[in-house]
Amino acid sequence: MGAIVDKWLNGETEDFGKKVLHGAHNLLTDSDTGHLFSHDALAELIDTIDDSQLDIVTMGYGKHEPNSWVGGHRGKLSGKELMDAVREGRLWVNLRHAMNTEDEYIKVQNKMFDHLSEMIPGFKPYSVYGSILISSPNAKVYYHADPGEVILWHISGEKRVSCYPNKAPFLDDETYEGLILSENSEELPYEEWFDDHAAFIDLKPGEFVSWPHSSPHKVDNGNSLNVSITTEFTTLASQMRHGARYANGMLRRRFNANPSFDKMGTVHTMAKFAASLPMRAMKVKTGNEQVHKDHFVVDRGSENCLNWFEEPIPRSERVL
Ligand SMILES: [Fe+2]
């Protein structure tokens, strides 16, 4: 397996983690890795992973309709049939942590991050979770932010990734804390004028993009079946920021405080991180945590391959 990162397309190594950085990778041309991401190989991979590792979602057509982002399940479809449904329907499928589950994929992910650590001075991620995203032509992911640091490695199809500054008003403190506290999913409030401050990256197969930690972003697929790997990782710096936001979230909810993350300096962030440790160790919750529900079963005979339930069913009651 040769070098995984080929070159940066819009910046330099020193920009990694500081700006939206677009690059080229060798995952598709490397003889040890290319075959792992063919559509047939992914269909086989779906058949090997546990159903609880598979997130299946659909979405609306508007620019920002987070309420239309709802989950379902694949019923009795094989991996091949599910891939066909994604090609024909309006679906977003996440093979959650698949890059950490199967030996061949684990090797590839280790190589990806070993190479990045060689390239980038001081880059020492200590947990890396990689998932494989397979999504329909013209599917979209609404404006949101992820809790970890992210690199999106594109494999097939075309998509536009729009990235926004990781500070207020683009990143709303209270909503983002809600994500960290598992109260809500990752969508954030969005205004059209935010686009004036966005970086737009048009990803083609063999390219990747990274952005500063917790930068809000959204994704719009082209008219093609899309496959990407998303790797989410933690560094000491991102763990401290995460812990400080957790502490802020608890203070806001339990003690009616109104902390602002953007106004916190490094020492304040470290103190808040330290304060969050006992709360997280005790798994203190706010009482508002969300329950995941299935709204449909994937069905190639239905419009957009979605057979809707009359009432959403909690995932814990899912019967296949
Ligand atoms: Fe994301």
Side-chain angles (χ1 to χ4, degrees), residues 120-151:
I120 303 167
F123 180 63
K124 290 194 181 65
Y126 51 82
S127 70
V128 179
Y129 290 96
S131 302
I132 300 175
L133 306 175
I134 307 167
S135 52
S136 298
N138 304 308
K140 54 177 71 199
V141 179
Y142 296 115
Y143 187 80
H144 72 283
D146 300 303
E149 298 187 62
V150 173
I151 304 175

PDB file of all heavy atoms in Angstrom, residues 120-151:
ATOM      1  N   ILE A 120       1.820  15.490   8.772  1.00  0.00           N
ATOM      2  CA  ILE A 120       1.417  16.710   9.498  1.00  0.00           C
ATOM      3  C   ILE A 120       2.108  16.719  10.858  1.00  0.00           C
ATOM      4  O   ILE A 120       1.793  15.895  11.723  1.00  0.00           O
ATOM      5  CB  ILE A 120      -0.118  16.747   9.681  1.00  0.00           C
ATOM      6  CG1 ILE A 120      -0.801  16.650   8.314  1.00  0.00           C
ATOM      7  CG2 ILE A 120      -0.553  17.997  10.432  1.00  0.00           C
ATOM      8  CD1 ILE A 120      -2.283  16.378   8.369  1.00  0.00           C
ATOM      9  N   PRO A 121       3.040  17.628  11.078  1.00  0.00           N
ATOM     10  CA  PRO A 121       3.758  17.661  12.355  1.00  0.00           C
ATOM     11  C   PRO A 121       2.784  17.836  13.530  1.00  0.00           C
ATOM     12  O   PRO A 121       1.883  18.669  13.470  1.00  0.00           O
ATOM     13  CB  PRO A 121       4.669  18.891  12.223  1.00  0.00           C
ATOM     14  CG  PRO A 121       4.762  19.154  10.752  1.00  0.00           C
ATOM     15  CD  PRO A 121       3.485  18.673  10.149  1.00  0.00           C
ATOM     16  N   GLY A 122       2.930  16.996  14.567  1.00  0.00           N
ATOM     17  CA  GLY A 122       2.108  17.126  15.776  1.00  0.00           C
ATOM     18  C   GLY A 122       0.715  16.530  15.664  1.00  0.00           C
ATOM     19  O   GLY A 122      -0.072  16.586  16.611  1.00  0.00           O
ATOM     20  N   PHE A 123       0.369  15.929  14.521  1.00  0.00           N
ATOM     21  CA  PHE A 123      -0.979  15.357  14.356  1.00  0.00           C
ATOM     22  C   PHE A 123      -1.015  13.959  14.982  1.00  0.00           C
ATOM     23  O   PHE A 123      -0.400  13.028  14.467  1.00  0.00           O
ATOM     24  CB  PHE A 123      -1.340  15.291  12.870  1.00  0.00           C
ATOM     25  CG  PHE A 123      -2.719  14.722  12.607  1.00  0.00           C
ATOM     26  CD1 PHE A 123      -3.856  15.367  13.076  1.00  0.00           C
ATOM     27  CD2 PHE A 123      -2.876  13.553  11.874  1.00  0.00           C
ATOM     28  CE1 PHE A 123      -5.126  14.852  12.829  1.00  0.00           C
ATOM     29  CE2 PHE A 123      -4.141  13.033  11.612  1.00  0.00           C
ATOM     30  CZ  PHE A 123      -5.261  13.683  12.098  1.00  0.00           C
ATOM     31  N   LYS A 124      -1.711  13.856  16.143  1.00  0.00           N
ATOM     32  CA  LYS A 124      -1.767  12.575  16.861  1.00  0.00           C
ATOM     33  C   LYS A 124      -3.208  12.279  17.277  1.00  0.00           C
ATOM     34  O   LYS A 124      -3.567  12.447  18.446  1.00  0.00           O
ATOM     35  CB  LYS A 124      -0.891  12.627  18.120  1.00  0.00           C
ATOM     36  CG  LYS A 124       0.597  12.659  17.847  1.00  0.00           C
ATOM     37  CD  LYS A 124       1.377  12.364  19.132  1.00  0.00           C
ATOM     38  CE  LYS A 124       2.865  12.400  18.919  1.00  0.00           C
ATOM     39  NZ  LYS A 124       3.387  13.712  18.555  1.00  0.00           N
ATOM     40  N   PRO A 125      -4.047  11.854  16.333  1.00  0.00           N
ATOM     41  CA  PRO A 125      -5.417  11.518  16.715  1.00  0.00           C
ATOM     42  C   PRO A 125      -5.404  10.254  17.568  1.00  0.00           C
ATOM     43  O   PRO A 125      -4.633   9.336  17.289  1.00  0.00           O
ATOM     44  CB  PRO A 125      -6.107  11.267  15.373  1.00  0.00           C
ATOM     45  CG  PRO A 125      -5.014  10.883  14.445  1.00  0.00           C
ATOM     46  CD  PRO A 125      -3.777  11.583  14.919  1.00  0.00           C
ATOM     47  N   TYR A 126      -6.194  10.205  18.665  1.00  0.00           N
ATOM     48  CA  TYR A 126      -6.148   8.990  19.478  1.00  0.00           C
ATOM     49  C   TYR A 126      -7.434   8.190  19.434  1.00  0.00           C
ATOM     50  O   TYR A 126      -7.554   7.183  20.082  1.00  0.00           O
ATOM     51  CB  TYR A 126      -5.696   9.271  20.913  1.00  0.00           C
ATOM     52  CG  TYR A 126      -6.431  10.352  21.618  1.00  0.00           C
ATOM     53  CD1 TYR A 126      -7.657  10.114  22.227  1.00  0.00           C
ATOM     54  CD2 TYR A 126      -5.886  11.626  21.697  1.00  0.00           C
ATOM     55  CE1 TYR A 126      -8.310  11.111  22.888  1.00  0.00           C
ATOM     56  CE2 TYR A 126      -6.545  12.631  22.352  1.00  0.00           C
ATOM     57  CZ  TYR A 126      -7.749  12.372  22.950  1.00  0.00           C
ATOM     58  OH  TYR A 126      -8.416  13.370  23.601  1.00  0.00           O
ATOM     59  N   SER A 127      -8.396   8.616  18.670  1.00  0.00           N
ATOM     60  CA  SER A 127      -9.474   7.683  18.342  1.00  0.00           C
ATOM     61  C   SER A 127      -9.959   8.068  16.957  1.00  0.00           C
ATOM     62  O   SER A 127     -10.125   9.251  16.664  1.00  0.00           O
ATOM     63  CB  SER A 127     -10.618   7.770  19.349  1.00  0.00           C
ATOM     64  OG  SER A 127     -11.308   8.976  19.204  1.00  0.00           O
ATOM     65  N   VAL A 128     -10.108   7.077  16.107  1.00  0.00           N
ATOM     66  CA  VAL A 128     -10.560   7.332  14.735  1.00  0.00           C
ATOM     67  C   VAL A 128     -11.708   6.366  14.451  1.00  0.00           C
ATOM     68  O   VAL A 128     -11.559   5.158  14.630  1.00  0.00           O
ATOM     69  CB  VAL A 128      -9.437   7.087  13.706  1.00  0.00           C
ATOM     70  CG1 VAL A 128      -9.945   7.345  12.293  1.00  0.00           C
ATOM     71  CG2 VAL A 128      -8.216   7.948  13.997  1.00  0.00           C
ATOM     72  N   TYR A 129     -12.849   6.896  14.048  1.00  0.00           N
ATOM     73  CA  TYR A 129     -13.977   6.062  13.656  1.00  0.00           C
ATOM     74  C   TYR A 129     -14.349   6.405  12.225  1.00  0.00           C
ATOM     75  O   TYR A 129     -14.641   7.569  11.922  1.00  0.00           O
ATOM     76  CB  TYR A 129     -15.175   6.269  14.587  1.00  0.00           C
ATOM     77  CG  TYR A 129     -14.927   5.697  15.962  1.00  0.00           C
ATOM     78  CD1 TYR A 129     -14.470   6.491  16.994  1.00  0.00           C
ATOM     79  CD2 TYR A 129     -15.102   4.331  16.192  1.00  0.00           C
ATOM     80  CE1 TYR A 129     -14.207   5.955  18.245  1.00  0.00           C
ATOM     81  CE2 TYR A 129     -14.843   3.784  17.436  1.00  0.00           C
ATOM     82  CZ  TYR A 129     -14.393   4.601  18.460  1.00  0.00           C
ATOM     83  OH  TYR A 129     -14.120   4.065  19.684  1.00  0.00           O
ATOM     84  N   GLY A 130     -14.336   5.393  11.359  1.00  0.00           N
ATOM     85  CA  GLY A 130     -14.637   5.627   9.955  1.00  0.00           C
ATOM     86  C   GLY A 130     -15.927   4.941   9.556  1.00  0.00           C
ATOM     87  O   GLY A 130     -16.169   3.777   9.906  1.00  0.00           O
ATOM     88  N   SER A 131     -16.768   5.665   8.860  1.00  0.00           N
ATOM     89  CA  SER A 131     -18.041   5.126   8.388  1.00  0.00           C
ATOM     90  C   SER A 131     -18.087   5.285   6.880  1.00  0.00           C
ATOM     91  O   SER A 131     -17.412   6.160   6.321  1.00  0.00           O
ATOM     92  CB  SER A 131     -19.204   5.898   9.024  1.00  0.00           C
ATOM     93  OG  SER A 131     -19.134   5.822  10.429  1.00  0.00           O
ATOM     94  N   ILE A 132     -18.890   4.447   6.222  1.00  0.00           N
ATOM     95  CA  ILE A 132     -19.027   4.544   4.768  1.00  0.00           C
ATOM     96  C   ILE A 132     -20.436   5.045   4.462  1.00  0.00           C
ATOM     97  O   ILE A 132     -21.420   4.483   4.953  1.00  0.00           O
ATOM     98  CB  ILE A 132     -18.747   3.183   4.099  1.00  0.00           C
ATOM     99  CG1 ILE A 132     -17.319   2.743   4.433  1.00  0.00           C
ATOM    100  CG2 ILE A 132     -18.961   3.269   2.584  1.00  0.00           C
ATOM    101  CD1 ILE A 132     -16.951   1.359   3.938  1.00  0.00           C
ATOM    102  N   LEU A 133     -20.510   6.121   3.692  1.00  0.00           N
ATOM    103  CA  LEU A 133     -21.792   6.749   3.359  1.00  0.00           C
ATOM    104  C   LEU A 133     -22.145   6.426   1.912  1.00  0.00           C
ATOM    105  O   LEU A 133     -21.322   6.650   1.014  1.00  0.00           O
ATOM    106  CB  LEU A 133     -21.701   8.273   3.521  1.00  0.00           C
ATOM    107  CG  LEU A 133     -21.202   8.777   4.871  1.00  0.00           C
ATOM    108  CD1 LEU A 133     -21.045  10.303   4.841  1.00  0.00           C
ATOM    109  CD2 LEU A 133     -22.160   8.359   5.973  1.00  0.00           C
ATOM    110  N   ILE A 134     -23.345   5.901   1.710  1.00  0.00           N
ATOM    111  CA  ILE A 134     -23.812   5.582   0.356  1.00  0.00           C
ATOM    112  C   ILE A 134     -25.125   6.336   0.182  1.00  0.00           C
ATOM    113  O   ILE A 134     -26.064   6.133   0.970  1.00  0.00           O
ATOM    114  CB  ILE A 134     -24.024   4.062   0.196  1.00  0.00           C
ATOM    115  CG1 ILE A 134     -22.755   3.295   0.613  1.00  0.00           C
ATOM    116  CG2 ILE A 134     -24.407   3.709  -1.237  1.00  0.00           C
ATOM    117  CD1 ILE A 134     -22.954   1.803   0.778  1.00  0.00           C
ATOM    118  N   SER A 135     -25.213   7.213  -0.811  1.00  0.00           N
ATOM    119  CA  SER A 135     -26.408   8.064  -0.884  1.00  0.00           C
ATOM    120  C   SER A 135     -26.886   8.232  -2.325  1.00  0.00           C
ATOM    121  O   SER A 135     -26.120   8.107  -3.289  1.00  0.00           O
ATOM    122  CB  SER A 135     -26.145   9.417  -0.229  1.00  0.00           C
ATOM    123  OG  SER A 135     -24.986  10.016  -0.742  1.00  0.00           O
ATOM    124  N   SER A 136     -28.182   8.510  -2.434  1.00  0.00           N
ATOM    125  CA  SER A 136     -28.873   8.528  -3.730  1.00  0.00           C
ATOM    126  C   SER A 136     -28.460   9.737  -4.573  1.00  0.00           C
ATOM    127  O   SER A 136     -28.032  10.767  -4.032  1.00  0.00           O
ATOM    128  CB  SER A 136     -30.385   8.637  -3.496  1.00  0.00           C
ATOM    129  OG  SER A 136     -30.873   7.534  -2.791  1.00  0.00           O
ATOM    130  N   PRO A 137     -28.678   9.637  -5.893  1.00  0.00           N
ATOM    131  CA  PRO A 137     -28.521  10.820  -6.744  1.00  0.00           C
ATOM    132  C   PRO A 137     -29.379  11.961  -6.192  1.00  0.00           C
ATOM    133  O   PRO A 137     -30.526  11.744  -5.793  1.00  0.00           O
ATOM    134  CB  PRO A 137     -29.056  10.346  -8.104  1.00  0.00           C
ATOM    135  CG  PRO A 137     -28.878   8.857  -8.081  1.00  0.00           C
ATOM    136  CD  PRO A 137     -29.066   8.434  -6.663  1.00  0.00           C
ATOM    137  N   ASN A 138     -28.824  13.155  -6.120  1.00  0.00           N
ATOM    138  CA  ASN A 138     -29.510  14.389  -5.670  1.00  0.00           C
ATOM    139  C   ASN A 138     -29.907  14.383  -4.187  1.00  0.00           C
ATOM    140  O   ASN A 138     -30.624  15.281  -3.745  1.00  0.00           O
ATOM    141  CB  ASN A 138     -30.743  14.691  -6.539  1.00  0.00           C
ATOM    142  CG  ASN A 138     -30.360  14.775  -8.005  1.00  0.00           C
ATOM    143  OD1 ASN A 138     -29.437  15.510  -8.341  1.00  0.00           O
ATOM    144  ND2 ASN A 138     -31.008  13.999  -8.862  1.00  0.00           N
ATOM    145  N   ALA A 139     -29.462  13.383  -3.424  1.00  0.00           N
ATOM    146  CA  ALA A 139     -29.716  13.406  -1.972  1.00  0.00           C
ATOM    147  C   ALA A 139     -28.944  14.564  -1.359  1.00  0.00           C
ATOM    148  O   ALA A 139     -28.017  15.115  -1.974  1.00  0.00           O
ATOM    149  CB  ALA A 139     -29.274  12.081  -1.344  1.00  0.00           C
ATOM    150  N   LYS A 140     -29.349  14.937  -0.147  1.00  0.00           N
ATOM    151  CA  LYS A 140     -28.645  16.028   0.524  1.00  0.00           C
ATOM    152  C   LYS A 140     -28.557  15.751   2.014  1.00  0.00           C
ATOM    153  O   LYS A 140     -29.357  15.007   2.578  1.00  0.00           O
ATOM    154  CB  LYS A 140     -29.340  17.350   0.262  1.00  0.00           C
ATOM    155  CG  LYS A 140     -30.819  17.370   0.600  1.00  0.00           C
ATOM    156  CD  LYS A 140     -31.408  18.740   0.378  1.00  0.00           C
ATOM    157  CE  LYS A 140     -31.508  19.104  -1.089  1.00  0.00           C
ATOM    158  NZ  LYS A 140     -31.655  20.490  -1.369  1.00  0.00           N
ATOM    159  N   VAL A 141     -27.566  16.376   2.629  1.00  0.00           N
ATOM    160  CA  VAL A 141     -27.439  16.363   4.089  1.00  0.00           C
ATOM    161  C   VAL A 141     -27.552  17.814   4.518  1.00  0.00           C
ATOM    162  O   VAL A 141     -26.803  18.671   4.042  1.00  0.00           O
ATOM    163  CB  VAL A 141     -26.090  15.759   4.535  1.00  0.00           C
ATOM    164  CG1 VAL A 141     -25.980  15.778   6.056  1.00  0.00           C
ATOM    165  CG2 VAL A 141     -25.929  14.343   3.996  1.00  0.00           C
ATOM    166  N   TYR A 142     -28.513  18.084   5.392  1.00  0.00           N
ATOM    167  CA  TYR A 142     -28.783  19.474   5.784  1.00  0.00           C
ATOM    168  C   TYR A 142     -27.668  20.042   6.660  1.00  0.00           C
ATOM    169  O   TYR A 142     -26.863  19.309   7.232  1.00  0.00           O
ATOM    170  CB  TYR A 142     -30.133  19.550   6.506  1.00  0.00           C
ATOM    171  CG  TYR A 142     -31.294  19.183   5.607  1.00  0.00           C
ATOM    172  CD1 TYR A 142     -32.066  18.055   5.849  1.00  0.00           C
ATOM    173  CD2 TYR A 142     -31.583  19.956   4.486  1.00  0.00           C
ATOM    174  CE1 TYR A 142     -33.121  17.709   5.015  1.00  0.00           C
ATOM    175  CE2 TYR A 142     -32.637  19.617   3.640  1.00  0.00           C
ATOM    176  CZ  TYR A 142     -33.399  18.492   3.910  1.00  0.00           C
ATOM    177  OH  TYR A 142     -34.427  18.157   3.065  1.00  0.00           O
ATOM    178  N   TYR A 143     -27.711  21.355   6.777  1.00  0.00           N
ATOM    179  CA  TYR A 143     -26.747  22.130   7.564  1.00  0.00           C
ATOM    180  C   TYR A 143     -26.636  21.554   8.984  1.00  0.00           C
ATOM    181  O   TYR A 143     -27.633  21.465   9.706  1.00  0.00           O
ATOM    182  CB  TYR A 143     -27.266  23.562   7.605  1.00  0.00           C
ATOM    183  CG  TYR A 143     -26.351  24.582   8.217  1.00  0.00           C
ATOM    184  CD1 TYR A 143     -25.311  25.121   7.479  1.00  0.00           C
ATOM    185  CD2 TYR A 143     -26.554  25.041   9.517  1.00  0.00           C
ATOM    186  CE1 TYR A 143     -24.489  26.097   8.021  1.00  0.00           C
ATOM    187  CE2 TYR A 143     -25.740  26.011  10.070  1.00  0.00           C
ATOM    188  CZ  TYR A 143     -24.711  26.528   9.313  1.00  0.00           C
ATOM    189  OH  TYR A 143     -23.901  27.489   9.859  1.00  0.00           O
ATOM    190  N   HIS A 144     -25.436  21.154   9.380  1.00  0.00           N
ATOM    191  CA  HIS A 144     -25.232  20.530  10.690  1.00  0.00           C
ATOM    192  C   HIS A 144     -23.761  20.637  11.071  1.00  0.00           C
ATOM    193  O   HIS A 144     -22.921  21.056  10.254  1.00  0.00           O
ATOM    194  CB  HIS A 144     -25.653  19.056  10.643  1.00  0.00           C
ATOM    195  CG  HIS A 144     -24.702  18.192   9.875  1.00  0.00           C
ATOM    196  ND1 HIS A 144     -24.665  18.159   8.497  1.00  0.00           N
ATOM    197  CD2 HIS A 144     -23.700  17.370  10.289  1.00  0.00           C
ATOM    198  CE1 HIS A 144     -23.708  17.341   8.108  1.00  0.00           C
ATOM    199  NE2 HIS A 144     -23.105  16.852   9.170  1.00  0.00           N
ATOM    200  N   ALA A 145     -23.430  20.234  12.288  1.00  0.00           N
ATOM    201  CA  ALA A 145     -22.022  20.122  12.698  1.00  0.00           C
ATOM    202  C   ALA A 145     -21.850  18.788  13.406  1.00  0.00           C
ATOM    203  O   ALA A 145     -22.784  18.285  14.044  1.00  0.00           O
ATOM    204  CB  ALA A 145     -21.637  21.260  13.623  1.00  0.00           C
ATOM    205  N   ASP A 146     -20.672  18.204  13.277  1.00  0.00           N
ATOM    206  CA  ASP A 146     -20.382  16.908  13.902  1.00  0.00           C
ATOM    207  C   ASP A 146     -19.588  17.126  15.185  1.00  0.00           C
ATOM    208  O   ASP A 146     -18.802  18.073  15.284  1.00  0.00           O
ATOM    209  CB  ASP A 146     -19.562  16.051  12.931  1.00  0.00           C
ATOM    210  CG  ASP A 146     -20.308  15.813  11.633  1.00  0.00           C
ATOM    211  OD1 ASP A 146     -21.425  15.293  11.694  1.00  0.00           O
ATOM    212  OD2 ASP A 146     -19.780  16.182  10.574  1.00  0.00           O
ATOM    213  N   PRO A 147     -19.742  16.223  16.166  1.00  0.00           N
ATOM    214  CA  PRO A 147     -19.023  16.414  17.433  1.00  0.00           C
ATOM    215  C   PRO A 147     -17.513  16.232  17.308  1.00  0.00           C
ATOM    216  O   PRO A 147     -16.752  16.891  17.997  1.00  0.00           O
ATOM    217  CB  PRO A 147     -19.625  15.351  18.361  1.00  0.00           C
ATOM    218  CG  PRO A 147     -20.350  14.399  17.476  1.00  0.00           C
ATOM    219  CD  PRO A 147     -20.699  15.123  16.220  1.00  0.00           C
ATOM    220  N   GLY A 148     -17.051  15.344  16.411  1.00  0.00           N
ATOM    221  CA  GLY A 148     -15.614  15.098  16.265  1.00  0.00           C
ATOM    222  C   GLY A 148     -15.014  15.903  15.129  1.00  0.00           C
ATOM    223  O   GLY A 148     -15.709  16.657  14.439  1.00  0.00           O
ATOM    224  N   GLU A 149     -13.704  15.740  14.923  1.00  0.00           N
ATOM    225  CA  GLU A 149     -13.048  16.333  13.753  1.00  0.00           C
ATOM    226  C   GLU A 149     -13.275  15.374  12.582  1.00  0.00           C
ATOM    227  O   GLU A 149     -13.288  14.155  12.779  1.00  0.00           O
ATOM    228  CB  GLU A 149     -11.557  16.508  14.028  1.00  0.00           C
ATOM    229  CG  GLU A 149     -11.292  17.450  15.191  1.00  0.00           C
ATOM    230  CD  GLU A 149      -9.809  17.760  15.364  1.00  0.00           C
ATOM    231  OE1 GLU A 149      -9.213  18.340  14.450  1.00  0.00           O
ATOM    232  OE2 GLU A 149      -9.270  17.410  16.421  1.00  0.00           O
ATOM    233  N   VAL A 150     -13.426  15.927  11.385  1.00  0.00           N
ATOM    234  CA  VAL A 150     -13.884  15.098  10.258  1.00  0.00           C
ATOM    235  C   VAL A 150     -13.009  15.283   9.017  1.00  0.00           C
ATOM    236  O   VAL A 150     -12.587  16.404   8.715  1.00  0.00           O
ATOM    237  CB  VAL A 150     -15.357  15.447   9.896  1.00  0.00           C
ATOM    238  CG1 VAL A 150     -15.797  14.720   8.632  1.00  0.00           C
ATOM    239  CG2 VAL A 150     -16.291  15.109  11.050  1.00  0.00           C
ATOM    240  N   ILE A 151     -12.749  14.162   8.337  1.00  0.00           N
ATOM    241  CA  ILE A 151     -12.241  14.211   6.953  1.00  0.00           C
ATOM    242  C   ILE A 151     -13.213  13.383   6.115  1.00  0.00           C
ATOM    243  O   ILE A 151     -13.583  12.267   6.507  1.00  0.00           O
ATOM    244  CB  ILE A 151     -10.827  13.616   6.823  1.00  0.00           C
ATOM    245  CG1 ILE A 151      -9.848  14.321   7.761  1.00  0.00           C
ATOM    246  CG2 ILE A 151     -10.335  13.719   5.368  1.00  0.00           C
ATOM    247  CD1 ILE A 151      -8.453  13.689   7.777  1.00  0.00           C
TER     248      ILE A 151
END
